Amino acid sequence: MMRRDQTSVRKKPSLVDLCVQKAIDNVRYLGNVGPVDHHLLERILPHCTLDQLMHVEKASKGTDLSPVTDKLWKKFFEKQFGIDCTNEAIKRMSENRVSFRWLQLYE
């Protein structure tokens, strides 16, 4: 028998961690995430499919999610159009000194 002080020490999840996990488990039901802090969205939104992320973007109208979602949209763009096309888009934006959100480029 193990004594109480010999049991393996496991870090108990915080309430925030539990809530984030619950949101990830139910990501298909997300809608307007405008009031949610970006540091939490950075943990939740990578678990979205393309359609789920598009739904969240549209439901969160009036909220700029690009600081969180731009890198996700870049991955979807790369998966859909390939690395060569992605690099070409980056090159053209650099040459023309313009910047577009990856969601815009994907659409």
Side-chain angles (χ1 to χ4, degrees):
M1 228 185 228
M2 293 177 78
R3 291 186 0 213
R4 184 177 284 178
D5 59 324
Q6 291 177 328
T7 60
S8 64
V9 178
R10 286 191 208 182
K11 182 183 173 198
K12 292 185 171 74
S14 70
L15 184 56
V16 170
D17 290 339
L18 292 171
C19 291
V20 166
Q21 188 57 52
K22 187 55 83 173
I24 291 169
D25 293 345
N26 294 286
V27 74
R28 64 190 171 275
Y29 300 116
L30 290 180
N32 181 359
V33 295
V36 180
D37 289 341
H38 283 198
H39 74 278
L40 297 174
L41 292 176
E42 287 173 351
R43 295 173 58 187
I44 298 167
L45 294 182
H47 298 274
C48 288
T49 65
L50 183 130
D51 291 334
Q52 291 166 341
L53 189 59
M54 185 66 77
H55 174 74
V56 168
E57 289 271 9
K58 288 181 180 180
S60 302
K61 195 170 188 132
T63 303
D64 182 16
L65 297 177
S66 64
V68 176
T69 62
D70 209 42
K71 57 187 163 264
L72 302 173
W73 283 113
K74 182 180 177 187
K75 287 180 186 177
F76 284 124
F77 184 95
E78 189 174 301
K79 185 185 278 187
Q80 178 73 30
F81 302 107
I83 188 75
D84 292 336
C85 191
T86 304
N87 289 337
E88 183 65 26
I90 293 169
K91 178 182 166 196
R92 287 184 182 182
M93 284 191 289
S94 177
E95 288 174 353
N96 295 315
R97 294 186 179 110
V98 295
S99 180
F100 293 100
R101 293 176 52 205
W102 283 100
L103 169 58
Q104 292 172 311
L105 294 173
Y106 186 86
E107 290 178 316

